[in-house]
Amino acid sequence: MERKITIEEGVFYKEDYQIRMLKANDLNGILKMGGRGINESSYYDYDVSGKISMKAMFERSKINSQDIKMFLRDLKNVIREVETFLLNTHCLLLKPEYIFYEEGKYFFCYYPLVKQDLWEEFHELTEYFVKQADYQDQECIRIVFLLHKRTMDENYSLDKLVAECIQNPQEGEQEVEGDMNRRRFDEKETEEVEEELPERDWITEQEIGNSIVRESDHLWAPVKRLLNKRRKSKWGDWDGLHIEEEEL
């Protein structure tokens, strides 16, 4: 059975380039839309057969990390799809009641008459994620607070933000371990070289020692930067983010 939602606007209906493009093509991740005019109003109908809205989906359950990663993947793909057809990305609706889900994929409403900034709308959606997040899921906590924090910045990169959210949280630990293993290997090589060196005077020994220290400092620099980055990423230390107890 076909099921639709309708958005009504109190303006004369006008079929422009956007409407013709949406009617002529099936855009991946975009709900099929039909427009019509009655008297002095415009009506936009969206086919949501077999789908459930994000709002309804999480009314009685919490959002986990996999839910958000799937959404971020689909949002990124649908933005590219809209741009490919030379449509306005700011016409994507990011309210939970206008985002729909079916069989492992999210679908979006394209509303030509909307007046909004997509990136501000995305930030508001992250506030919804913070409220509905599963706080038993540590990865979910990391992602929702990262999204909320980063989307407060001007001119943030969605591609970089999505990549940072969906990365394996163990990758950073593996990078540190790899640097430590390389350092142990270099130290072993240094000891072997020192054993083979003939007797040196005091000045030569100091020069070699300073060189080893400089090399060691250079080796540890990326590890220190990574550890500092991980400490800064603790959501409990972020400023400007206030959550009421009842919201948790």
Side-chain angles (χ1 to χ4, degrees):
M1 181 178 178
E2 188 178 74
R3 187 165 66 95
K4 294 183 178 181
I5 63 168
T6 299
I7 301 177
E8 179 183 356
E9 194 80 29
V11 297
F12 283 107
Y13 178 73
K14 181 181 179 181
E15 195 158 298
D16 59 6
Y17 161 80
Q18 300 178 86
I19 303 298
R20 291 193 294 272
M21 181 64 73
L22 290 169
K23 285 185 174 182
N25 300 277
D26 288 325
L27 275 67
N28 186 27
I30 296 293
L31 292 171
K32 195 67 179 176
M33 185 200 73
R36 53 196 169 92
I38 300 178
N39 297 326
E40 297 181 0
S41 294
S42 298
Y43 297 85
Y44 296 87
D45 304 310
Y46 299 87
D47 184 359
V48 295
S49 303
K51 300 174 178 60
I52 183 173
S53 71
M54 176 183 282
K55 181 179 180 181
M57 207 164 74
F58 296 115
E59 277 182 347
R60 297 183 180 180
S61 63
K62 294 297 182 181
I63 301 175
N64 62 38
S65 56
Q66 292 306 312
D67 294 325
I68 297 179
K69 289 179 180 180
M70 184 190 305
F71 171 79
L72 292 175
R73 177 203 67 193
D74 293 343
L75 174 62
K76 181 179 174 181
N77 290 339
V78 82
I79 289 175
R80 288 180 177 174
E81 183 81 349
V82 168
E83 291 175 339
T84 299
F85 284 87
L86 304 178
L87 295 171
N88 185 358
T89 57
H90 295 284
C91 292
L92 292 170
L93 300 182
L94 294 186
K95 296 283 191 298
E97 58 266 32
Y98 294 122
I99 300 169
F100 287 81
Y101 175 86
E102 181 185 18
E103 297 181 352
K105 184 177 180 180
Y106 285 96
F107 295 83
F108 299 82
C109 293
Y110 185 94
Y111 183 43
L113 301 185
V114 72
K115 294 178 175 62
Q116 65 175 14
D117 182 275
L118 181 69
W119 312 118
E120 291 179 2
E121 291 296 307
F122 184 42
H123 175 68
E124 289 188 13
L125 184 62
T126 68
E127 294 179 347
Y128 171 79
F129 289 159
V130 170
K131 295 176 182 178
Q132 298 299 120
D134 179 1
Y135 283 84
Q136 302 301 315
D137 184 342
Q138 294 299 314
E139 176 69 353
C140 182
I141 294 173
R142 180 187 74 86
I143 293 174
V144 296
F145 283 102
L146 179 62
L147 285 172
H148 193 278
K149 179 69 174 180
R150 293 288 192 271
T151 54
M152 287 191 290
D153 298 337
E154 292 185 6
N155 301 321
Y156 63 86
S157 168
L158 181 63
D159 286 346
K160 291 180 180 179
L161 181 54
V162 171
E164 193 172 357
C165 287
I166 66 177
Q167 71 177 355
N168 186 339
Q170 296 179 349
E171 288 180 356
E173 297 174 4
Q174 293 172 354
E175 184 177 343
V176 172
E177 183 179 353
D179 285 332
M180 294 180 70
N181 288 336
R182 286 194 295 273
R183 181 179 186 274
R184 284 194 290 268
F185 177 77
D186 288 348
E187 287 178 341
K188 183 178 179 181
E189 279 194 335
T190 301
E191 291 174 357
E192 292 175 354
V193 170
E194 288 182 338
E195 289 177 358
E196 295 175 0
L197 288 174
E199 292 185 2
R200 302 178 295 269
D201 57 27
W202 183 84
I203 295 177
T204 304
E205 290 177 352
Q206 293 298 313
E207 290 177 349
I208 293 176
N210 290 337
S211 175
I212 293 173
V213 169
R214 285 194 298 272
E215 290 176 1
S216 199
D217 285 342
H218 177 72
L219 177 64
W220 274 100
V223 182
K224 291 177 180 177
R225 286 196 299 270
L226 179 60
L227 292 175
N228 288 334
K229 179 180 179 182
R230 290 171 66 86
R231 282 196 294 269
K232 291 178 181 177
S233 296
K234 292 181 179 178
W235 61 264
D237 296 333
W238 288 350
D239 297 327
L241 186 58
H242 305 285
I243 303 175
E244 300 296 336
E245 292 184 357
E246 62 267 23
E247 294 175 349
L248 300 179

